[in-house]
Amino acid sequence: MTHALSLPRVREWPPVLPVLAVLVLLGLPLTPTGESGAGPADAASALVVLYCAIRLVRDRRRPLSRTAAVVLGLPVLGLAVAATGASSPGTGITGLGRYLQIFVLVPAAVLLLIRGRRDFRLLAWSFVGLAVWQGAIGVHQYLTRTGASYQGQDVRAVGTFGPTDVMGMATVVSFGLVCALGLALGRASVRQRTVAVCCVLALLLPLALSFSRGAWIATAATCAVQLVLAGVRRALKVAAVAVAAGVILVGGFGVGSAMLQERIDSITRVTDAPDQSVTDRYTMWAAAVGMWREQPLTGVGLKGFPDHRDSHASLALSSGSDTEGAGAAYRKQPLLSPHNMYLLVLAEQGLVGAVALVGGWLALLVRGLRGLWRARVPGTGLDCALIGTGLLIWQLIDFAYADIGGPSTVLTAVAFGAVAWWALVGADETGPRARRSPGAVERTLGGAEEATPRCR
């Protein structure tokens, strides 16, 4: 007589599990050398897209609603035009593939693999787990002086991403903090909310030790919005706890107090006495604007910024940024992008690409905020609403200081997938209309595996 194993059947496993594998691979150490920004997680994201396509063919269902197809497919227009204007066919195809991966294919696959709020929360907790792991490595790097070089000392927390992707750990920790705060502000069990609050407090330290001004600004603004949307009274209480934790960490224990103070002060003097990194950024911003003025409609072509940079930049631009530490030798890293996603798109894709790409983001923001307002009703997924809109708000703010590039970029694609699910599917599960029509979401996705009542 045979006995069945107690493990769940494969068909009962959440389809979102392959997406979690991408996050697991982002927690593995990367080789600090190498010019390519792609890594194992990028290869896994391609397999996620393939897995999603196979499921769609097998289940014979319509993949996306009309609205989702338009919003997610909108950037393809500008990308196709910009690819034809690239310096070479190979460069155009490479750039097109990268943009499609980050902003179209992976987000669409993540959207389709999330069956409901339970899967969405599982993905959110995975973001938190990855952030705690990378943050713990970053704190260890600071304490043992094995991080990336900062002001002549190897103290900058970069996690497993190395000195060539100093924004990697900051992005991971920021996403985890935004997800943890959304879970803490939701209406889950007391245990889950307590764990989420502890994660929020724990992630403040590695975020500070990343010395990333852009991540600080984006995280502070996003968390403030989340708190206000969750309730003013609760916002004041959480803000008081966060301030107290910051005072204890920095003031009481003196965690990086001198360097942190200098980094914070540098935010307020970016125009009076900017350091070289700020000067380089302003110079590249001006160069990107100059490229756009020459080709206002279509831009200079995908991956064309490095080729046109020197002809538009002033002499104030340095030859590159110095990177070393965290297991890597000293090297001069070339400045290949303006470190501003909006200006990068405007320079390489022109108004056509900028309107298509940013327009899709704004559509997601409007739909997400509308769903969040309806989710304020008790028991209708407030935590999912705060996470979905919070991730998008953080990314939109951070794009003013950063752009895509490096191994951590695939995490941005997964985040956009979570954002897209909330804005295009999860937001429709809230409010009176969804309660009157339990199968609305199932019809929208052409036969989802789990109807709305089971997702709650």
Side-chain angles (χ1 to χ4, degrees), residues 1-366:
M1 188 172 98
T2 59
H3 298 277
L5 296 175
S6 59
L7 293 174
R9 291 178 299 175
V10 174
R11 302 188 73 178
E12 295 177 354
W13 292 354
V16 77
L17 283 181
V19 182
L20 306 189
V22 175
L23 303 186
V24 171
L25 290 175
L26 281 172
L28 300 179
L30 298 174
T31 304
T33 58
E35 301 296 332
S36 176
D42 292 278
S45 71
L47 294 179
V48 168
V49 174
L50 179 61
Y51 170 72
C52 180
I54 293 174
R55 285 182 59 90
L56 292 177
V57 173
R58 186 195 66 184
D59 297 339
R60 296 180 182 179
R61 63 185 180 94
R62 184 160 55 95
L64 296 170
S65 67
R66 193 173 305 169
T67 301
V70 170
V71 173
L72 292 178
L74 198 58
V76 178
L77 173 64
L79 292 172
V81 173
T84 59
S87 58
S88 67
T91 301
I93 293 174
T94 302
L96 178 64
R98 185 61 162 166
Y99 272 94
L100 289 179
Q101 173 202 11
I102 302 304
F103 298 116
V104 180
L105 297 178
V106 174
V110 174
L111 181 154
L112 291 167
L113 293 176
I114 297 177
R115 293 179 303 180
R117 293 177 189 155
R118 182 177 299 176
D119 288 354
F120 185 87
R121 293 185 181 107
L122 177 61
L123 182 59
W125 277 112
S126 301
F127 270 97
V128 177
L130 176 62
V132 171
W133 167 249
Q134 289 286 357
I137 296 175
V139 173
H140 178 266
Q141 289 172 335
Y142 174 82
L143 295 175
T144 59
R145 300 297 192 267
T146 56
S149 178
Y150 178 76
Q151 294 185 353
Q153 301 182 52
D154 295 343
V155 295
R156 187 167 191 174
V158 293
T160 62
F161 296 101
T164 58
D165 188 13
V166 293
M167 281 293 296
M169 192 211 73
T171 300
V172 170
V173 171
S174 298
F175 280 163
L177 204 153
V178 170
C179 290
L181 183 59
L183 292 166
L185 296 173
R187 297 182 175 89
S189 63
V190 176
R191 173 184 292 181
Q192 290 189 40
R193 282 182 290 163
T194 302
V195 173
V197 169
C198 292
C199 290
V200 170
L201 297 177
L203 291 174
L204 292 176
L205 179 58
L207 179 62
L209 298 179
S210 70
F211 297 105
S212 174
R213 292 170 293 199
W216 292 349
I217 295 172
T219 304
T222 301
C223 291
V225 172
Q226 286 180 300
L227 290 170
V228 171
L229 291 174
V232 178
R233 242 187 269 175
R234 184 183 294 182
L236 294 175
K237 293 179 181 178
V238 177
V241 173
V243 171
V247 170
I248 293 173
L249 288 174
V250 179
F253 296 106
V255 177
S257 55
M259 290 184 176
L260 285 176
Q261 186 62 49
E262 189 277 335
R263 194 65 166 172
I264 294 172
D265 292 341
S266 68
I267 298 176
T268 61
R269 62 171 189 267
V270 291
T271 56
D272 298 332
D275 54 32
Q276 185 58 48
S277 64
V278 175
T279 300
D280 287 340
R281 184 165 301 188
Y282 284 167
T283 305
M284 290 189 294
W285 287 3
V289 173
M291 296 176 200
W292 168 68
R293 286 175 177 170
E294 286 189 0
Q295 300 287 339
L297 286 181
T298 59
V300 298
L302 290 181
K303 289 186 171 292
F305 181 87
D307 297 333
H308 295 79
R309 180 199 61 192
D310 293 340
S311 61
H312 292 83
S314 68
L315 296 177
L317 183 65
S318 66
S319 59
S321 59
D322 300 330
T323 62
E324 64 178 323
Y330 171 83
R331 69 185 293 261
K332 181 76 72 172
Q333 187 174 6
L335 304 174
L336 302 178
S337 69
H339 297 294
N340 182 304
M341 191 65 197
Y342 305 108
L343 292 179
L344 177 63
V345 173
L346 201 61
E348 294 186 346
Q349 303 179 39
L351 284 174
V352 175
V355 170
L357 192 60
V358 179
W361 298 342
L362 293 179
L364 292 176
L365 181 62
V366 171

Side-chain angles (χ1 to χ4, degrees), residues 59-65 112 114-116 421 424-426 428-429 434 437-455:
D59 297 339
R60 296 180 182 179
R61 63 185 180 94
R62 184 160 55 95
L64 296 170
S65 67
L112 291 167
I114 297 177
R115 293 179 303 180
W421 180 86
L424 301 171
V425 179
D428 292 334
E429 299 182 21
S437 181
V441 176
E442 183 177 12
R443 291 193 300 271
T444 301
L445 291 176
E449 295 185 19
E450 185 170 297
T452 301
R454 293 175 60 190
C455 296

